[in-house]
Amino acid sequence: MEDNIKEYKRKKNYKPIIKRNIVAWLIMLPSLLLFLFFVWLPIGKNIALSFFNNYKFTEFVGFDNYKEIFRDYSFLAALKNTFAYILWSIIIGYFVPIIIGFLLSECVHAKGVFRILIYLPCMISGMAVSFLYLNIYGDETYSILNVIIRLFGGEPHAFKGNPNIIIPLIVIAMTWRGAGGTALIYLSNFQTIDTSLYEASRIDGVKPIKRFLHITLPIMKSTFMTLLILQIISVFQVFYEPLVIGEWGGPSDASMSLMLLSYKFAMKDLEYARGAAVSVILSLIIITFTVIYFIVNNIVNKKEGE
């Protein structure tokens, strides 16, 4: 008898559930169609294009485009440069937001003003920041750095024309633009730490550096790891800076990135299939690091839950 009653209630509630789901899907349908048209359809066509000879899809060449890419000096240079970007972004750009966020958490007066000032560069477009630093690093004597050097009696230097320092210079520009937003993320996490721990350490005369090493660092290690992996994923997509500051990845492909190389193949050299192949390889790399991010995040969350 009870089973019959449960079955009757289930059938009775089944139609309203279908009706609610249909209404929800109808509401989402325009967004899903737009997402399909502007995202998934281009991705599918791009993957397909990488297996053809040209954008008209007239000649199927299989993996020939990928084989040619791995024999191309520009691709190998871009692949090496991309990992160089990651290395320099860790050396230069990873610790700067942590330091800024920690200093803001230690700040007592005018904290709101400092937050606004630090976040302002994040509101500037990547292209505008690239042109700003192009004027700073320019090889000409009227570039900002060279003007300052000449004021002190020095000789001008070819900053952006030096292949040995072009990537660190670009990473400095990227850090200036993005550090403020990341610093505010760290600041919000710093503020979740029990203030009594800091107050007790201040009473004991513990200096800020020791407070960071013995209180902040152990508590926030999961946040540090997560943002490190997210930073690596974002650095793989560097585009504006080598395009503008390096002038198409120069000098001699010293600042070329994978994303810029894909754009260069397609828009400058008109080799659309090779550009598509490079973008597919880049996507696979980013997907790999994204999977690593989720795995690390789950491991850290489980350990914290225990």
Side-chain angles (χ1 to χ4, degrees):
M1 185 68 180
E2 291 181 359
D3 294 337
N4 293 333
I5 294 172
K6 289 180 181 178
E7 182 68 18
Y8 172 76
K9 289 181 179 180
R10 189 185 67 80
K11 290 181 178 179
K12 186 179 179 181
N13 296 327
Y14 189 68
K15 288 184 178 179
I17 290 172
I18 294 176
K19 188 180 292 184
R20 286 199 301 269
N21 289 340
I22 289 174
V23 171
W25 279 107
L26 288 175
I27 292 172
M28 291 190 297
L29 186 61
S31 300
L32 292 173
L33 290 175
L34 289 172
F35 191 77
L36 175 67
F37 183 77
F38 287 106
V39 178
W40 288 110
L41 186 60
I43 289 174
K45 291 187 72 174
N46 186 78
I47 295 172
L49 178 59
S50 68
F51 295 101
F52 283 82
N53 191 34
N54 53 55
Y55 69 95
K56 294 182 180 180
F57 299 93
T58 55
E59 183 183 350
F60 182 79
V61 295
F63 289 95
D64 288 352
N65 289 320
Y66 294 93
K67 293 176 183 177
E68 290 180 10
I69 282 171
F70 279 100
R71 289 194 293 261
D72 192 310
Y73 168 79
S74 298
F75 174 78
L76 298 177
L79 187 62
K80 184 186 76 172
N81 291 341
T82 302
F83 285 98
Y85 278 114
I86 293 172
L87 176 63
W88 281 107
S89 70
I90 294 173
I91 295 173
I92 297 174
Y94 179 67
F95 297 101
V96 171
I98 298 174
I99 295 169
I100 294 173
F102 181 71
L103 291 177
L104 280 175
S105 67
E106 293 287 320
C107 183
V108 178
H109 303 290
K111 187 180 291 187
V113 176
F114 287 127
R115 289 180 185 175
I116 294 172
L117 293 176
I118 288 169
Y119 191 72
L120 276 177
C122 300
M123 301 170 67
I124 306 173
S125 70
M127 188 64 76
V129 171
S130 300
F131 277 106
L132 170 64
Y133 275 85
L134 177 64
N135 291 323
I136 295 174
Y137 299 145
D139 297 340
E140 300 82 1
T141 55
Y142 56 79
S143 66
I144 296 175
L145 277 179
N146 282 323
V147 167
I148 295 172
I149 290 171
R150 288 170 68 88
L151 286 175
F152 289 94
E155 293 294 327
H157 296 276
F159 289 102
K160 73 181 185 66
N162 189 339
N164 296 319
I165 63 172
I166 183 65
I167 289 181
L169 293 177
I170 288 175
V171 170
I172 289 172
M174 294 164 58
T175 302
W176 181 83
R177 179 174 177 258
T182 310
L184 293 182
I185 295 174
Y186 282 120
L187 175 62
S188 64
N189 282 272
F190 288 147
Q191 292 176 338
T192 61
I193 300 173
D194 189 0
T195 55
S196 63
L197 297 174
Y198 287 121
E199 291 171 0
S201 63
R202 288 191 183 98
I203 293 171
D204 293 336
V206 179
K207 295 182 179 180
I209 295 176
K210 287 188 176 181
R211 284 202 296 270
F212 177 81
L213 293 175
H214 297 288
I215 298 176
T216 308
L217 190 60
I219 294 175
M220 288 187 56
K221 60 182 178 181
S222 62
T223 303
F224 294 147
M225 181 62 69
T226 299
L227 289 177
L228 173 63
I229 298 174
L230 290 176
Q231 179 172 325
I232 291 172
I233 293 171
S234 66
V235 170
F236 268 108
Q237 304 171 61
V238 59
F239 175 75
Y240 296 115
E241 293 81 2
L243 173 64
V244 176
I245 300 174
E247 297 179 356
W248 289 97
S252 302
D253 289 335
S255 62
M256 181 66 71
S257 66
L258 288 174
M259 183 167 282
L260 178 58
L261 181 64
S262 175
Y263 181 82
K264 178 178 177 290
F265 277 150
M267 300 302 173
K268 191 177 182 181
D269 301 336
L270 302 181
E271 297 180 358
Y272 303 106
R274 295 181 72 189
V278 173
S279 66
V280 170
I281 293 171
L282 177 61
S283 299
L284 291 175
I285 295 172
I286 293 174
I287 289 170
T288 301
F289 276 93
T290 304
V291 171
I292 293 171
Y293 159 71
F294 281 113
I295 292 172
V296 171
N297 196 38
N298 289 332
I299 292 172
V300 171
N301 289 335
K302 284 182 180 179
K303 287 184 177 180
E304 289 181 351
E306 293 173 357

